[in-house]
Amino acid sequence: MEQQKQAVQEPIFDKNRSPGKTFSLGLQHVLAMYAGAIIVPLIVGGALGLTTEQLTYLIAIDLLACGVATLLQVFGNKYFGIGLPVMLGCAFQAVGPMIIIGQQHGMSAIYGAIIASGLFVILFSGLFGKLIKVFPPVVTGSVVTIIGLTLIPVALNDLGGGQGSEDFGSALNISLGFGVLAFIIIMNRFAKGFLRSISVLLGLILGTVVAAFYGGVDLTPLREAGWFRAPQPFFFGTPEFKIVPIMTMILVAIVSVAESTGVFMALGKIVDRDITSKDLSRGYRAEGLAIVVGGIFNSFPYTTYSQNVGLIQMSRVKTRDVIVVAGGLLVLIGFVPKIAAMTQLVPTSVLGGAMVALFGMVVSSGIRMLGDQVDLNRHENLFIIACSVGMGLGVTTVPGLFTSLPDNLRILADNGIVAGSLTAIVLNLIFNGLRNTKPTRTEQGETAEGHAA
């Protein structure tokens, strides 16, 4: 209990780092998650036929709510927030259900369902927190590995210019994407200290400058954007609470909680902090509160963003002050559309090159967890890893496999991260029950003797 209390009250700000460095590191986190944050409102708004004004508001309020949701988690207290350097963004698994609800029941039903699902997460956060027993290292390591692997195709599609774009795979896009990746690799090989920690940010800036010389930067969003836009509760009308949409979004929320658990556990390992069930409960409550805020201001459900875990791993900066800056920047961007438009200047291919390194770091983090904390001499653990990673990667690469399933089941089956995570949880219960799969000292000694022999 004392350890948990100390972890929550640990200093947030690093007094030894200059404000300029902290700002740069925070900006790097914003740029790393920005594409994922804005793609959701673009897809949903396009599918539901929103006007330009409505879509502009949706993007701006989404970024503002991302910042608020992030700050709720970072500033951990007795009731809300896990107190880890975690970034929150709109849950991509909610895209399909939101479009279906909007087409069948209207926009008001979407936000009534989002508010109800957020309240559900808050009310049952204590129960979710007890689920830590079904996330031993063999499950957590597998989940983190799956998260990284399933995100790699996203990075490569962006590197090519964005799936479906007219210039996808063009020489310019490929050169920019791999050029940025090469620059990040060189920086991590030869640079030291702060320069290495902001290698991704420097790569994005350099890639954008180079792209501008070849006409690859569109300034139209910057010219058309306004200077200020205040958030407006219930922008799309008074929320309507209908049972089918509510049940659908509750299912999406449960999926988000499962995904967030893996990210919380991974971050706990990175910052050398043992995550307890009470820590998880506070994290879930903050996530539920963020979902409610998203519903009130007509944005989206929110969940943890795994790409920022890779950035923390790569930059080796683990303090929360950087995430506080990132959350504050997102709030500021939400109020000032001109600033939001500036981040849109980064070409997709440039962002994709950086994402290859970020998502790859998530994979390596999962592999390290499996190697350090799981007895890989046990056939059962190898089988759990093999099937869960295979399922997660398979569903990602064959997205149409479950098209014949009902929509509610497809929410679980169509998401590679969720499908792989559920596979790992179920197989671990089958083979290991609720016991910890970490090798004991005796087992480690026997293993060492066996190898020595």
Side-chain angles (χ1 to χ4, degrees):
M1 182 68 68
E2 183 64 30
Q3 182 180 6
Q4 176 189 344
K5 181 178 179 181
Q6 184 177 358
V8 173
Q9 295 180 348
E10 64 186 359
I12 294 177
F13 297 96
D14 185 353
K15 298 180 180 179
N16 296 322
R17 187 189 303 117
S18 69
K21 291 182 178 180
T22 302
F23 177 85
S24 298
L25 291 166
L27 177 61
Q28 184 172 243
H29 272 283
V30 171
L31 293 176
M33 59 82 68
Y34 187 82
I38 67 170
I39 194 65
V40 173
L42 288 174
I43 293 174
V44 174
L48 297 179
L50 299 185
T51 65
T52 302
E53 180 187 0
Q54 290 173 328
L55 186 57
T56 299
Y57 172 83
L58 195 61
I59 294 174
I61 195 61
D62 171 48
L63 294 171
L64 190 152
C66 284
V68 172
T70 296
L71 295 175
L72 284 173
Q73 284 288 22
V74 173
F75 289 106
N77 56 56
K78 185 177 180 181
Y79 302 103
F80 292 94
I82 197 168
L84 287 172
V86 57
M87 292 286 294
L88 271 73
C90 39
F92 195 83
Q93 58 264 34
V95 170
M98 287 181 68
I99 292 174
I100 294 172
I101 294 171
Q103 292 173 342
Q104 295 179 353
H105 303 279
M107 295 290 290
S108 297
I110 293 177
Y111 295 109
I114 290 176
I115 293 172
S117 65
L119 293 173
F120 175 85
V121 172
I122 294 173
L123 292 174
F124 290 93
S125 58
L127 175 61
F128 292 146
K130 298 183 185 301
L131 296 179
I132 189 173
K133 292 184 178 180
V134 301
F135 284 90
V138 67
V139 173
T140 306
S142 298
V143 169
V144 174
T145 304
I146 292 166
I147 289 173
L149 288 174
T150 55
L151 289 171
I152 293 296
V154 177
L156 291 179
N157 277 324
D158 284 348
L159 188 150
Q163 192 171 22
S165 62
E166 295 180 358
D167 61 344
F168 182 80
S170 67
L172 178 60
N173 287 335
I174 296 298
S175 299
L176 286 172
F178 281 107
V180 170
L181 178 59
F183 176 82
I184 293 172
I185 292 172
I186 292 172
M187 290 292 291
N188 279 271
R189 171 62 181 87
F190 296 105
K192 302 293 183 181
F194 177 68
L195 284 179
R196 182 166 65 178
S197 67
I198 62 167
S199 59
V200 173
L201 175 60
L202 295 177
L204 292 174
I205 294 174
L206 179 62
T208 302
V209 172
V210 173
F213 282 106
Y214 291 93
V217 176
D218 183 11
L219 298 176
T220 302
L222 183 61
R223 288 194 296 264
E224 295 183 349
W227 284 103
F228 179 78
R229 182 62 183 265
Q232 179 180 337
F234 309 124
F235 179 82
F236 292 102
T238 304
E240 298 180 7
F241 299 91
K242 299 183 178 181
I243 186 63
V244 174
I246 288 175
M247 295 304 298
T248 301
M249 294 310 297
I250 284 177
L251 184 57
V252 171
I254 293 174
V255 169
S256 297
V257 165
E259 188 173 340
S260 295
T261 303
V263 175
F264 290 154
M265 301 302 289
L267 276 172
K269 300 299 181 184
I270 291 174
V271 302
D272 298 320
R273 172 178 160 188
D274 292 330
I275 304 300
T276 67
S277 61
K278 291 186 177 181
D279 291 326
L280 291 176
S281 296
R282 288 197 304 271
Y284 300 150
R285 287 192 200 102
E287 191 164 311
L289 183 58
I291 295 173
V292 173
V293 171
I296 292 174
F297 287 97
N298 290 174
S299 55
F300 299 93
Y302 291 92
T303 188
T304 55
Y305 263 25
S306 51
Q307 52 261 54
N308 293 90
V309 177
L311 186 54
I312 291 172
Q313 186 80 356
M314 179 177 289
S315 67
R316 301 180 184 179
V317 177
K318 306 173 183 179
T319 53
R320 288 181 283 163
D321 54 348
V322 172
I323 306 300
V324 171
V325 170
L329 284 173
L330 286 170
V331 172
L332 178 63
I333 291 171
F335 279 111
V336 186
K338 281 285 187 184
I339 300 178
M342 289 180 63
T343 60
Q344 294 184 55
L345 300 182
V346 179
T348 304
S349 57
V350 171
L351 194 60
M355 285 182 175
V356 171
L358 293 178
F359 297 163
M361 286 300 293
V362 177
V363 176
S364 63
S365 178
I367 293 174
R368 187 180 69 175
M369 292 171 63
L370 292 171
D372 291 346
Q373 305 173 46
V374 179
D375 184 3
L376 297 180
N377 293 296
R378 294 186 69 237
H379 170 75
E380 293 85 350
N381 290 337
L382 293 176
F383 191 75
I384 293 169
I385 296 168
C387 291
S388 59
V389 172
M391 179 63 71
L393 189 58
V395 170
T396 301
T397 55
V398 188
L401 182 62
F402 298 109
T403 53
S404 61
L405 292 179
D407 292 334
N408 288 343
L409 291 179
R410 284 184 61 189
I411 295 173
L412 297 173
D414 270 355
N415 188 304
I417 296 174
V418 176
S421 300
L422 291 177
T423 301
I425 293 171
V426 172
L427 290 181
N428 178 68
L429 291 174
I430 292 174
F431 288 107
N432 297 316
L434 295 177
R435 65 173 179 166
N436 195 329
T437 56
K438 182 177 180 179
T440 63
R441 292 184 179 180
T442 303
E443 291 172 337
Q444 290 174 336
E446 292 174 352
T447 301
E449 291 174 2
H451 285 305

